[in-house]
Amino acid sequence: MREARQIHAERRMSDVEAMMWNLEKDPHLSASVANLTLLDRSPDRARLRARMQRATEAVPRLRQRVVPALGRLAPPEWREDPELDLDYHLRWMGAPGRGTRRDLLDLVATLANQPFDRTRPLWEFVIIEGLEGGKAAMLQKLHHTITDGEGGIRMSEQFIDLTRDATEPITTGTPSPPAAGGDLLGTTLDTLTHNLRRGAGIAQRAASAAADAVTHPGRLGEMGADGVGLARSVARQLLVTDHAHSPLWTERSLRRQVEILQIPFDPAKAAAKALGGSLNDFLVTAAAGAAGVVHRAAGCPVDELRISMPVSTRTDASAGGNAFIPTRVLVPAGIEDPVERFAAVHERLAATKAERAIGAAAALAGLANLLPTSVLVRLARQQVETVDFAVSNVRGAPFPLYIAGAFMEANHPLGPVGGTAWNLTLMTYSGHMDMGLHVDRAAVEDPTALRDAIEDEAARLVTAGAPKRRRAAKR
């Protein structure tokens, strides 16, 4: 057991979180994230309930609900829910049908896409018992405004264990104090002055830049070039105008299918290193290759597809909150050779992570939130329509874990489809890479074929990296 990470809990949502909250008025832009944990048996009910009770005391967001700001003049607030009902958020149910893997995944697709009750804290954990072989599963569902993938991993330390018979969580700590709600006058004044404070900050930065220009006139040219560079970066990332590139995945709906796959971690990591890149490059290369395979099989090959991919900006060790910026990048789907495709993906992802628009995204989100919801949603749908599919990568624990006496066999994350054709999210865990494929059924005719293609392309990359590893070892 180790000391608990400090859990920050701002009273208001960030501008990016507020945008996700406002955009969800359109169900196609839902910001829910989920994780399907496969267990060797059902967790002990009393132990798990006690652990989750403790988690709500340590993690403020698990006991808070969202209160909209006055007239959208500031981001919504987080307030303590005086009627928190733990048994509403932590539920148990029997597996449908015969409890097969397909029965489980179809149930998960339904549960993961049910909207949250916006009057309650935005999380739900469902334990599904009676699966084949006496196994069980746990679906952990959170609204993205609570935390991102990395924060969710840290938050889970409140209810996961290192041994089957553990009596204490991984972390220690004292309950966090309730958030101050504030009286009506104080809340109103804070709301009315929020944008003034933000504007003052922008003005202060502008004044600092102007003073720097006066005291260092030789930098004017550099500052001008920086401004042009930033504008171009914003245009590339935030103002894309062309449509998604797939001629095959053109339809969109709210019908979902979930598929899962698992591949060994060490061979994939070694292959990525041998090919000169990262595990994230490996994931995107496999996804792009699979997309190309599916398009060629349908008789409509495509050279490039646009993906959305979050870039983490987290600099602290807190559990909760969001620290990421969504980016977009064109990836090669037409390059059949896995080594050549990996090199192209590596180059493009490196360029995207260096985009200067990433630093400006939060400020632009604050301005966008001042728009009427209907206008904001319309603009967001226009931008989402430029994306073919989404990819994300979350680093999990490299060792076995347990939940209330049940061994965690796998952890399959399910990212939001968010108006794209599908989302592929990876989580590393205890020697393997667990992937969740979240598919829009109107876009993808055969999700299982897509899953198989991703698995095949990952295997091709591992094979392609093996000769390079052998040559490096001989040297």
Side-chain angles (χ1 to χ4, degrees), residues 15-343:
D15 288 322
V16 172
E17 291 164 349
M19 175 176 285
M20 289 190 289
W21 179 253
N22 293 329
L23 288 176
E24 203 173 56
K25 297 298 176 63
D26 182 343
H28 288 86
L29 303 177
S30 171
S32 295
V33 294
N35 189 79
L36 175 62
T37 302
L38 303 181
L39 304 168
D40 71 339
R41 69 188 195 192
S42 184
D44 180 270
R45 292 196 179 204
R47 285 173 59 186
L48 181 56
R49 192 184 189 284
R51 190 61 58 79
M52 292 310 302
Q53 176 65 49
R54 181 169 177 167
T56 62
E57 296 167 357
V59 183
R61 290 290 179 266
L62 297 182
R63 63 176 189 267
Q64 294 173 338
R65 60 188 179 89
V66 177
V67 178
L70 178 67
R72 290 271 300 276
L73 296 176
E77 289 184 65
W78 295 98
R79 296 277 188 87
E80 300 288 320
D81 182 1
E83 300 179 352
L84 176 65
D85 180 1
L86 182 60
D87 293 316
Y88 173 86
H89 297 277
L90 178 63
R91 308 175 194 170
W92 303 75
M93 64 183 301
R98 294 176 298 165
T100 64
R101 178 63 57 86
R102 185 72 267 159
D103 291 331
L104 172 64
L105 296 182
D106 289 344
L107 172 63
V108 165
T110 299
L111 296 176
N113 287 284
Q114 289 177 344
F116 283 104
D117 181 346
R118 287 188 160 213
T119 67
R120 298 176 183 265
L122 302 174
W123 65 278
E124 296 173 8
F125 287 5
V126 181
I127 296 84
I128 304 160
E129 300 178 295
L131 298 176
E132 284 184 327
K135 297 180 183 295
M138 181 176 182
L139 179 66
Q140 303 141 48
K141 178 181 168 187
L142 298 168
H143 198 280
H144 219 323
T145 53
I146 291 181
T147 189
D148 54 23
E150 188 174 349
I153 291 294
R154 295 171 179 178
M155 186 182 292
S156 69
E157 293 176 351
Q158 300 295 326
F159 60 86
I160 60 176
D161 301 316
L162 296 177
T163 62
R164 194 182 289 275
D165 57 354
T167 57
E168 294 292 332
I170 291 177
T171 58
T172 61
T174 56
S176 60
D183 57 24
L184 178 60
L185 177 59
T187 299
T188 302
L189 289 174
D190 180 78
T191 299
L192 293 175
T193 58
H194 175 82
N195 285 320
L196 292 177
R197 293 194 302 273
R198 177 166 55 195
I202 295 173
Q204 184 179 23
R205 290 190 294 272
S208 176
D212 188 64
V214 171
T215 56
H216 303 90
R219 295 181 184 173
L220 283 172
E222 179 183 341
M223 293 169 62
D226 285 347
V228 172
L230 176 59
R232 289 175 177 171
S233 180
V234 169
R236 284 192 299 269
Q237 282 297 314
L238 307 177
L239 299 174
V240 179
T241 57
D242 63 330
H243 204 273
H245 288 214
S246 172
L248 186 63
W249 300 326
T250 57
E251 300 297 322
R252 297 291 185 268
S253 73
L254 296 177
R255 294 185 294 118
R256 300 288 181 261
Q257 182 164 324
V258 168
E259 299 290 339
I260 57 177
L261 59 155
Q262 183 183 84
I263 64 174
F265 172 77
D266 287 339
K269 181 68 173 179
K273 182 178 180 181
L275 294 171
S278 66
L279 195 61
N280 199 54
D281 297 328
F282 182 99
L283 174 66
V284 174
T285 302
V293 167
V294 171
H295 278 75
R296 289 191 292 273
C300 48
V302 62
D303 291 332
E304 294 181 320
L305 295 171
R306 182 176 286 112
I307 69 168
S308 63
M309 180 185 69
V311 173
S312 176
T313 58
R314 188 175 292 274
T315 58
D316 59 21
S318 64
N322 284 271
F324 77 96
I325 297 296
T327 65
R328 287 178 282 188
V329 57
L330 286 170
V331 296
I335 301 178
E336 297 188 42
D337 179 79
V339 176
E340 293 181 17
R341 190 184 335 119
F342 187 96

Side-chain angles (χ1 to χ4, degrees), residues 442-463:
V444 181
E445 182 178 356
D446 189 349
T448 58
L450 175 60
R451 177 205 62 201
D452 292 344
I454 294 170
E455 198 167 38
D456 291 344
E457 289 302 309
R460 291 184 68 206
L461 280 168
V462 169
T463 301

Side-chain angles (χ1 to χ4, degrees), residues 35-39 262 407-412 429 432 434:
N35 189 79
L36 175 62
T37 302
L38 303 181
L39 304 168
Q262 183 183 84
F407 171 60
M408 295 168 51
E409 296 181 336
N411 262 324
H412 296 279
Y429 167 61
H432 40 86
D434 298 334

